[in-house]
Amino acid sequence: MMRKLILALFVLTLIACSPLAGKGNPASQPPADGLERATFAGGCFWCMEPPFDKIDGVISTTSGYIGGKEVEPTYKEVAYGRTGHTEAVEIVFDPSVVSYERLLEVFWVNIDPTVQDRQFCDRGSQYRTGIFVHGDEQRASAEASKTKIEETKTFELPVLTPIETAGPFYPAEEYHQDFYEKNPQRYYSYRRGCGRDARLRQLWGDAAGGK
């Protein structure tokens, strides 16, 4: 009980003390010629950047918001579940170096696909998982990937992560970008306290995503 109370206070402190700066950035623009975009929601976007940043062929990762109705939402609005958005990461990648299928593989082992409207210690639809596809080709790959997970998973619970058409993606405020590099102590404290890695190991074993 005490551990849960401390964790709850810590998460509330993150929200209350974050330096909000008005409305979020405008919706992201199409990537440069020859590059493609992938968008995944896996709970806290701080934790979804690192595993993709490690991959050759990934040009950039951007934390932001997707799946809601409000235009240019702020972190505070999203965090309190006011806009319908979920935290997500947008990846710009070079398909001649890394495939979308490879990005899907990395995505799965970095989430808990067995729950709805939450991830690890974070509760609410703003932390729901999702694959937001850009076009029919990505949808086909995402559906094939989900089917493979359902057929080969070692856990008994069903896979609940939806596949949706990507709508506007709004980059989060600058202080959220590359948070794990800017504030490593705070980042790893949050990650450990949230039980993310322990749960990933339970689900995926040695294949579990990196930090």
Side-chain angles (χ1 to χ4, degrees), residues 11-20 75 80:
V11 173
L12 288 174
T13 299
L14 291 181
I15 296 173
C17 296
S18 296
L20 302 172
Y75 175 66
Y80 283 102

Side-chain angles (χ1 to χ4, degrees), residues 62-76:
T62 302
S63 289
Y65 318 113
I66 196 169
K69 297 180 180 179
E70 296 292 327
V71 176
E72 297 184 14
T74 65
Y75 175 66
K76 185 175 183 179

Side-chain angles (χ1 to χ4, degrees), residues 69-119:
K69 297 180 180 179
E70 296 292 327
V71 176
E72 297 184 14
T74 65
Y75 175 66
K76 185 175 183 179
E77 291 169 341
V78 175
Y80 283 102
R82 298 173 181 171
T83 70
H85 291 85
T86 183
E87 292 193 8
V89 61
E90 183 177 85
I91 302 154
V92 174
F93 66 100
D94 183 344
S96 70
V97 179
V98 61
S99 67
Y100 181 66
E101 289 75 14
R102 173 57 182 153
L103 299 182
L104 286 165
E105 291 173 357
V106 173
F107 166 72
W108 287 115
V109 298
N110 278 280
I111 68 163
D112 180 350
T114 69
V115 295
Q116 289 182 316
D117 291 340
R118 65 185 177 93
Q119 278 292 281

Side-chain angles (χ1 to χ4, degrees), residues 173-191:
E173 294 81 351
E174 179 59 30
Y175 67 90
H176 285 299
Q177 309 301 333
D178 301 314
F179 189 87
Y180 72 102
E181 294 181 332
K182 296 174 181 175
N183 299 278
Q185 184 173 358
R186 187 173 168 190
Y187 168 73
Y188 285 110
S189 177
Y190 161 76
R191 188 174 181 116

Side-chain angles (χ1 to χ4, degrees), residues 139-162:
R139 179 175 293 278
S141 294
E143 290 176 348
S145 177
K146 183 175 180 178
T147 297
K148 181 179 179 180
I149 292 295
E150 291 171 333
E151 292 175 347
T152 62
K153 63 185 174 67
T154 57
F155 46 89
E156 295 182 357
L157 296 172
V159 175
L160 303 178
T161 298

